[in-house]
Amino acid sequence: MRILVTGGAGYIGSHTCVELLEAGHEVIVADNLCNSRKESLEMVKRITGKDVLFYEVDVTEEQVVEKIFRSHRLDGVIHFAGLKAVGESLEKPLSYYYNNLVSTMILTKMSLKYDVNRFVFSSSATVYGDNTVPFKETMKLLPTTNPYGETKAMSERILMDTVKADQSFGVTLLRYFNPVGAHESGLIGEEPNGAPNNLMPFITQVASGRREKLSIFGNDYDTVDGTGVRDYIHVVDLAKGHVMAVEKLKPGVEIYNLGTGRGTSVLELVHTFMEVNELDVPYEIRERRQGDISSYYADASKARIELGWIAEKTIEDMVRDAWRFEKKQAEGK
Ligand code: NAD
Ligand code: UD1
């Protein structure tokens, strides 16, 4: 298949390009590089030995998007492009609503116009809000605490309503849990701009000495050791889930959780990182972070049964690969 990957130069997108190419598909990337670098696509080529056609474009611009659809007969779209920093979305809500919703609407419109019937959308476990765990695809969604989360819930609704009106269109909504780690080559991985918001990149930056110590946000939650529990998933497993989803896509809407189904606490993750990589990560316990929930993880059975997908990599693999990428970054690759 020939797949348009929006946001393909980014963290999850670049790993998905690798898996698509290795599965024999052709990849066209559309990315405006607002949170990534062109070099990641060079690395994708180095890993796979295959070429990627790259358009440096903003996918909220209808005319440039249409030009891509007109120039290539596409079989599917995987739509990763979007802004994703929760805190920033509270400061700049309009940018988030504009970027994340307009891009989804334009890509949907073009898919319908050019008869591209496979559309995979990057959603997030954040749409479950404060539901009881484990999160299941059939749950009624609850409000999220920030504009970023709302853009994911709204994009899901836009796509579902589009399918109701045009039943030949096929959409798969993938709800990611907490993607971490990097490709085992160490050539692509997560490169946050400025101070990382998420736990794993913060740990690797403390381990490399770029930051002094990790703050652990709260140790008084009702969890195994009082720290927050999440379902961390290796980004390569996540990327493989996209290949299976796009290959199996049929008309209609399907929703899949992509998680391991297992929860890991902050302290468990930090200690596993230190043991596996034989490194020290200084940390201190701080107050809870506003907006955090105590614990969440996936019911991952639907993706297993229907897509034949399971997350194969362990927490040990995640911390090892995250560290390998950080080290290579420091060495300049
Ligand atoms: P990322 O920032 O690394 O990748 C997003 C890419 O989209 C970047 O390369 C960026 O330059 C590009 N982009 C943004 N707006 C664009 C636009 N208007 N036009 C063209 N390109 C644009 O983020 P990621 O972690 O790879 O996330 C990919 C998707 O998955 C996002 O939609 C994100 O919301 C979603 N998601 C991510 C996580 C996570 O923890 N990383 C969790 C759940 C969902
Ligand atoms: C965050 C986002 C969520 C997004 C997800 C994946 C918030 C409120 N939610 O979720 O919308 O889909 O990232 O990108 O931001 N922690 C520390 N110290 C740190 C960083 C994190 O103790 O420096 C703790 C957190 O309190 C949490 C766990 O580590 O218990 C994981 O945090 P994080 O990586 O930010 O992910 P989420 O909070 O799950």
Side-chain angles (χ1 to χ4, degrees):
M1 286 192 280
R2 185 178 296 122
I3 310 291
L4 175 64
V5 181
T6 74
Y11 174 46
I12 306 170
S14 58
H15 288 82
T16 302
C17 288
V18 168
E19 298 305 320
L20 284 167
L21 290 165
E22 288 188 340
H25 300 296
E26 208 181 297
V27 170
I28 299 172
V29 167
D31 197 307
N32 65 359
L33 305 178
C34 69
N35 195 39
S36 55
R37 296 180 309 128
K38 213 162 140 184
E39 287 67 37
S40 64
L41 295 174
E42 294 304 319
M43 296 303 159
V44 168
K45 292 181 197 170
R46 230 166 101 179
I47 294 166
T48 60
K50 294 183 180 167
D51 220 2
V52 173
L53 186 58
F54 174 52
Y55 286 93
E56 188 175 337
V57 293
D58 186 324
V59 293
T60 63
E61 288 177 25
E62 185 164 341
Q63 284 176 353
V64 292
V65 173
E66 177 146 25
K67 200 165 158 231
I68 299 175
F69 277 76
R70 220 187 302 118
S71 309
H72 306 275
R73 199 196 52 74
L74 300 172
D75 298 294
V77 174
I78 305 183
H79 179 32
F80 291 106
L83 302 177
K84 63 160 184 177
V86 172
E88 189 185 54
S89 79
L90 288 160
E91 289 155 25
K92 300 179 185 167
L94 258 188
S95 302
Y96 273 69
Y97 284 115
Y98 189 85
N99 198 67
N100 293 3
L101 297 181
V102 173
S103 60
T104 300
M105 287 190 279
I106 287 175
L107 288 157
T108 305
K109 183 175 166 188
M110 290 304 139
S111 298
L112 295 179
K113 184 165 175 186
Y114 289 87
D115 270 330
V116 182
N117 290 327
R118 294 167 191 255
F119 195 104
V120 177
F121 177 67
S122 293
S123 191
S124 165
T126 197
V127 298
Y128 289 109
D130 208 359
N131 264 296
T132 47
V133 291
F135 292 162
K136 241 181 130 42
E137 291 87 345
T138 47
M139 283 175 163
K140 194 170 164 14
L141 302 187
L142 296 178
T144 66
T145 54
N146 55 78
Y148 165 74
E150 291 306 302
T151 68
K152 292 297 171 192
M154 287 180 190
S155 291
E156 287 199 1
R157 279 204 297 279
I158 290 168
L159 288 162
M160 288 195 268
D161 286 342
T162 304
V163 171
K164 272 190 208 151
D166 182 341
Q167 311 220 332
S168 63
F169 192 43
V171 169
T172 293
L173 307 172
L174 297 178
R175 294 181 180 155
Y176 313 154
F177 282 68
N178 287 57
V180 295
H183 190 264
E184 62 176 13
S185 64
L187 294 174
I188 50 173
E190 190 171 12
E191 297 180 69
N193 282 332
N197 298 306
N198 297 121
L199 180 59
M200 184 69 100
F202 214 104
I203 293 175
T204 59
Q205 292 196 6
V206 172
S208 70
R210 281 161 74 181
R211 294 181 191 275
E212 199 189 331
K213 65 170 102 134
L214 170 74
S215 298
I216 294 185
F217 300 138
N219 68 347
D220 56 353
Y221 286 109
D222 183 18
T223 61
V224 55
D225 54 25
T227 64
V229 165
R230 297 291 183 269
D231 185 343
Y232 297 98
I233 171 167
H234 197 294
V235 65
V236 171
D237 280 328
L238 190 68
K240 289 181 174 160
H242 289 73
V243 179
M244 289 177 163
V246 78
E247 286 176 347
K248 297 221 164 151
L249 223 153
K250 293 194 192 72
V253 178
E254 287 296 345
I255 306 175
Y256 297 104
N257 286 338
L258 293 184
T260 64
R262 287 180 302 275
T264 302
S265 77
V266 177
L267 278 174
E268 284 168 341
L269 190 71
V270 175
H271 283 286
T272 308
F273 184 95
M274 293 198 279
E275 277 155 34
V276 169
N277 296 313
E278 299 178 355
L279 284 163
D280 191 29
V281 177
Y283 63 81
E284 63 180 355
I285 306 292
R286 300 278 294 271
E287 64 281 12
R288 291 180 178 194
R289 181 173 67 178
Q290 220 191 334
D292 269 356
I293 56 178
S294 141
S295 170
Y296 66 83
Y297 48 93
D299 177 329
S301 55
K302 188 176 176 215
R304 185 184 70 240
I305 295 162
E306 294 186 10
L307 293 178
W309 174 88
I310 50 163
E312 289 170 342
K313 293 189 184 271
T314 61
I315 290 283
E316 285 75 12
D317 296 325
M318 301 178 207
V319 298
R320 188 182 306 110
D321 292 342
W323 177 239
R324 188 186 297 111
F325 177 69
E326 174 72 25
K327 263 193 308 190
K328 284 226 180 198
Q329 289 289 99
E331 291 160 6
K333 282 174 176 156

